[in-house]
Amino acid sequence: MPTETSAPPPTRIGWRQEISRTQWLVLAGTTLGWGLDGFAGSLYVLVLGPAMSELLPGSGIEATRATIGLYGGLTMALFLVGWATGGILFGILADYFGRTKVLSAGILTYAVFSAAAAFADNWWQLGILRFIAGLGSGVEAPVGAALIAETWRNRFRARAGGVMMSGYAAGFFAAAGAYALFGSQGWRAMLMLAGLPAFVVWFIRRFVPEPPEISAHLHSRRQRKAQGLNAAHDRFVLWRLFSPPLRRPMLVCTALATGALITFWSVSTWYPQIIRQLTMAAHLPAALADHRVAMAAMLFNAGGVLGYASWGFIADLIGRRATFLMSFAVSALSIAWTFPVERDYVEFLYAMPVLGFGLFGALSGTFIYAPELFPPSVRATALAVCNSVGRYVTALGPLSAGVIATTWFGGNLGQATAWVSALGLVAVVGLAFASETRGVPMPADPVTIPAVQHVEKSQS
């Protein structure tokens, strides 16, 4: 008698067929923009010491180890405050006017004003230009991460987010290489290179499309507005984010981002100066100090590229919460080993890639995890606000390290950096309340308009 045959199992298409050309272009554009943002930011960190040494005397301030730490920390704080403010501003604009136009405007802002800092004559001019550059710099991560999440709506979303975030560490790595090659030309020439991100605007405007989900959302909202209709998800984005049901994920993401940012910027701002100080204390040439800083930065950012890029892959295997915990543990242990006690240059080289892996990985996680908690109508603003609140707090990190080193530790930046970095433990508190999103569909706005209010003019 005939036997019953079962249907053949469905064949799974390969990743080359599953990923579209548009997705590759969006990944290339956002990674390039974020990478050049990291390039510009890292160049400033690498030249912070020489720039302050030249500009402080012109400002009527003696350039000592303590004053370089204090005023260098202040210019970094101004940059981070600008970054936080610009992140919120551009994030809101991206939710109301689309991703690609706003992304291009922000990139152009940070490129132009980063390069303009090369013409500063004193420290406060430099600080103002860094603040304006920070306004534009705030756009790339939240809007780029939202763009990735909305375009890569398949099983590779978290991995694409990690690859995009790795661009920042790659930019740091490229800046370290540029400094090793051209640092002898002086800090002003280095900052002129920070204008390179302006060229990515053409690529984004030419090849990176607006996600269909966002185009449909913007069109639908314009139609409702023209008809005098109001939906619950048309309320101003900031009010929605701090009201139920979005308040809890906002607080969780803010704690995660704040802890990761405090630790990252405290370490990345001051390890170049710590290496310079230990080189000068050994009465070695200043040129050797620059070379040592460049080598340490390359190792730090090599670990960072791996930490950034691997976060999404690991999170797909073991979950988002477990991957955050791994990043935090690596960061805490490597900081505790490196900074509280005196280390020689070789020991710093061993620590740098481990520090980079943990610190950059935690930052990557905040931009992969957060888009999975918010609907598209508030997604860019949510990412911007979570990280901007963190950056406002973080602005105190580099500044506080300089002040604490001067006040409590006799100018020892290593001990000050370790103490300020410990504030990053707030991220562990956020993680305790975080929900797991691996395998969970991304939130969406309602298709229909619930509780529509239509206000009609009374006719006489």
Side-chain angles (χ1 to χ4, degrees), residues 112-124:
V112 170
F113 284 92
S114 291
F119 301 98
D121 292 322
N122 49 54
W123 81 265
W124 59 262

Side-chain angles (χ1 to χ4, degrees), residues 149-315:
E150 290 152 359
T151 305
W152 286 71
R153 300 187 68 86
N154 56 25
R155 61 193 175 99
F156 300 109
R157 183 182 66 242
R159 301 171 213 184
V163 171
M164 175 221 149
M165 294 303 296
S166 71
Y168 198 73
F172 269 48
F173 189 85
Y179 188 65
L181 292 172
F182 307 114
S184 60
Q185 302 301 312
W187 66 270
R188 295 183 188 273
M190 289 292 95
L191 289 186
M192 286 296 293
L193 292 176
L196 288 175
F199 293 103
V200 81
V201 172
W202 172 83
F203 181 90
I204 290 174
R205 299 298 296 151
R206 176 68 177 83
F207 294 110
V208 178
E210 196 69 36
E213 177 185 32
I214 300 303
S215 297
H217 158 67
L218 296 175
H219 177 70
S220 188
R221 184 163 55 194
R222 283 193 297 267
Q223 281 190 320
R224 290 193 298 271
K225 184 176 181 181
Q227 296 168 11
L229 302 176
N230 246 342
H233 56 282
D234 286 332
R235 292 172 59 211
F236 183 52
V237 288
L238 289 179
W239 303 147
R240 289 179 60 200
L241 289 174
F242 290 99
S243 304
L246 298 179
R247 181 190 297 151
R248 179 188 173 98
M250 273 299 297
L251 293 175
V252 167
C253 288
T254 299
L256 291 170
T258 299
L261 287 164
I262 286 175
T263 308
F264 174 82
W265 280 104
S266 295
V267 171
S268 65
T269 297
W270 292 120
Y271 81 79
Q273 316 320 320
I274 294 170
I275 292 174
R276 276 199 179 90
Q277 288 180 1
L278 92 93
T279 304
M280 300 307 288
H283 306 290
L284 296 171
L288 179 60
D290 290 341
H291 175 75
R292 284 183 164 188
V293 167
M295 293 302 297
M298 292 177 75
L299 288 171
F300 179 68
N301 294 298
V305 170
L306 183 60
Y308 257 148
S310 66
W311 204 96
F313 289 83
I314 298 171

Side-chain angles (χ1 to χ4, degrees), residues 313-407:
F313 289 83
I314 298 171
D316 276 346
L317 288 175
I318 66 175
R320 279 44 168 167
R321 299 179 79 251
T323 311
F324 268 123
L325 190 60
M326 176 202 70
S327 296
F328 296 157
V330 171
S331 299
L333 291 173
S334 55
I335 289 170
W337 185 86
T338 307
F339 292 103
V341 298
E342 296 289 339
R343 297 289 179 188
D344 62 31
Y345 173 62
V346 173
E347 288 175 319
F348 263 97
L349 292 185
Y350 286 131
M352 286 293 103
V354 183
L355 282 165
F357 179 83
L359 295 172
F360 281 101
L363 291 178
S364 183
T366 62
F367 286 101
I368 293 171
Y369 177 65
E372 299 176 338
L373 299 177
F374 302 98
S377 59
V378 297
R379 187 172 288 136
T381 306
L383 269 67
V385 171
C386 289
N387 284 274
S388 291
V389 170
R391 291 191 192 284
Y392 282 127
V393 177
T394 302
L396 299 175
L399 178 59
S400 298
V403 173
I404 291 172
T406 303
T407 307

